Amino acid sequence: MVISSYFSRAAILILILFTADHLNFRLAATKLGSSETDTEFIKTSCGATTNPGLCFTTFSSHASEIQASPKLLARKSLSLALNTTRSASKIFTKLSKSQGLKPREAAALKDCVEEISDSVDELKRSIGEMDEIKGKSFAFRMSDIETWVSAALTNEDTCMDGFSEKAVDGDVKATVRRVIEEVTHMTSFTLTFVNRYAGTKN
């Protein structure tokens, strides 16, 4: 029971730090002077996502930087998704080293660490491809980015699948679910914006 209590406190602390980190990340980026047009662009773009409210809260603080540009929105969303996924990777790595884990929890966390690490790599590749101005055609480049972001989203779903059994109910599963929901939302927003940008030159 002592080990279980220790893990519960550790898991809650990690979750609080993760949530606070991303709340501060969003609020710290707020910039004054973004025009109504820029903000309206964010609102309209977010309307096509799975969670318009959360999307608008996340991206409206970057409106003046994005400047109503589908390309800049896609690029910013990739950057935010990468930051969020990196944070998740650190959390899962730390959780996987916690004391008192059940064998099934340990195995599922190990898989999550690998899956989310792959997502980090795929998002980094996407950013590199987005920033590249020579070589591949626009269509070919965007096709690659769409493929990698989709793969990152699949990795996140696969991570959560490892906790679908009743044997892994509890604090670990609850923590992983909350973190994965954050990452999945951001990656989903990114895929929507990348797809939209890819369609601007069709």
Side-chain angles (χ1 to χ4, degrees), residues 27-47:
L27 295 179
T30 301
K31 297 181 178 181
L32 298 176
S34 60
S35 70
E36 291 184 6
T37 299
D38 294 340
T39 302
E40 188 61 30
F41 171 76
I42 298 297
K43 184 176 181 180
T44 301
S45 299
C46 285

Side-chain angles (χ1 to χ4, degrees), residues 2 7 17 27 30 104 129-130 156 198:
V2 173
F7 179 79
L17 291 174
L27 295 179
T30 301
R104 189 67 191 87
E129 195 75 356
M130 179 72 78
E156 294 149 16

